[in-house]
Amino acid sequence: YRDALEATRVGEGVHLFKFYSSSVMLKSAEGTVSLDFCQGPVNNSGEPEEADLYQSGFYLTPRQRDRLAAEVDVALITHRHHDHADFSLARRLVAAGKPVIGPAQLKTHWPDLAGGITVPKYETIERFGPCEIFTQFGYQFATSRTGPDGRRYGEHHPDGRERSSETVRYLVRVGRVTFLQSAESHTEAYDWLRKADSLGWRVDVLFKPGQYQGGRSVMRYLEGRDYFRVPIHEYELMHHDGGNRTAQLLQGGGRDAIDRKRSMPLLWGEDFLVVTEAP
């Protein structure tokens, strides 16, 4: 699979490569961006030979890690959790002087890499190598409650907000295609998306809208808009229920989107070329 990533030449658009869980690589003519890359169900506090707490053996070889890091120009990380961040890749990119973007909390999580991690300037357009980003600061709250409307709402733990995971919600523009990745952010996004729209950013491809009030606000904003969906975060082996599944995508509204060619579920090892219709 890394052979394919290295060998693929992109003339227009973005060639999207799907790895484990939420891991994607976005390759354009200008370079390659990793988004929430992780190599497998291992703790992300060190190299997997020492951090594979479940002893799954589900991770790359050192040579494969080196090859992957050589291919990647920028790493974007939404939050500190093991299925969205990879110490091995980040360490190699920092050593090579390549940008690793993530929330400030990631510096505490990886103190040895703190000097090489860049915290984005939220709600500001920034360029890093082959991509531009427009970001929102948020949280995956530590607890949740049911509101009067019967819906779940994330909220900070009563012992303090440090118990919550800081998140970055990304609009990523690469190869003239704009991707939205909220991961598990619970933070409201409607006003942020409206600001992005005023700056000329539209959502071409949605990975994940977020959870609870965060997900609802994204989907409310996107209602009636034309965008493409690439579902992620499925079969995450360290989650107690295996993470999200793909079966629900083949029925109801999920199947309708596939039939209308507005959604493309990808399994590990699959890839897909994304281009926009805009001139």
Side-chain angles (χ1 to χ4, degrees), residues 136 169-171 179-194 203 205-225 227 229:
Q136 181 193 28
R169 177 178 271 120
Y170 288 97
L171 277 170
F179 302 85
L180 173 60
Q181 164 61 324
S182 300
E184 276 65 71
S185 179
H186 300 159
T187 304
E188 285 274 351
Y190 193 91
D191 289 340
W192 173 75
L193 282 167
R194 187 164 56 183
V203 178
V205 179
L206 172 66
F207 287 121
K208 193 167 187 199
Q211 291 180 319
Y212 301 145
Q213 62 265 39
R216 291 193 295 269
S217 62
V218 169
M219 298 313 294
R220 180 165 62 94
Y221 185 84
L222 293 178
E223 186 175 1
R225 295 173 181 258
Y227 63 92
R229 184 77 183 267

Side-chain angles (χ1 to χ4, degrees), residues 124-163:
T124 301
I125 298 173
E126 301 177 89
R127 171 167 284 279
F128 295 96
C131 69
E132 286 184 302
I133 62 174
F134 185 75
T135 54
Q136 181 193 28
F137 175 76
Y139 286 99
Q140 181 178 3
F141 295 119
T143 58
S144 64
R145 60 176 174 82
T146 300
D149 57 2
R151 294 179 168 184
R152 299 295 290 176
Y153 290 83
E155 58 186 7
H156 286 296
H157 194 280
D159 292 341
R161 63 181 52 208
E162 68 276 359
R163 297 282 295 274

Side-chain angles (χ1 to χ4, degrees), residues 30-139:
E30 292 76 34
T32 300
V33 178
S34 76
L35 182 56
D36 272 7
F37 176 80
C38 69
Q39 57 191 298
V42 295
N43 185 285
N44 68 357
S45 60
E47 294 294 333
E49 287 81 3
E50 292 78 38
D52 184 17
L53 301 184
Y54 286 81
Q55 299 183 354
S56 69
F58 191 121
Y59 51 82
L60 307 181
T61 67
R63 172 59 180 152
Q64 288 171 330
R65 285 172 241 159
D66 291 343
R67 288 174 58 189
L68 187 65
E71 183 69 23
V72 173
D73 299 296
V74 180
L76 306 178
I77 300 171
T78 58
H79 61 292
R80 60 183 176 173
H81 289 171
H82 65 269
D83 51 330
H84 294 265
D86 190 87
F87 177 88
S88 290
L89 179 61
R91 183 178 71 81
R92 286 165 170 78
L93 296 184
V94 167
K98 296 179 180 180
V100 176
I101 318 300
Q105 198 176 51
L106 199 58
K107 292 175 176 280
T108 302
H109 190 59
W110 291 337
D112 292 345
L113 305 183
I117 296 172
T118 298
V119 178
K121 299 175 182 177
Y122 296 109
E123 302 196 21
T124 301
I125 298 173
E126 301 177 89
R127 171 167 284 279
F128 295 96
C131 69
E132 286 184 302
I133 62 174
F134 185 75
T135 54
Q136 181 193 28
F137 175 76
Y139 286 99

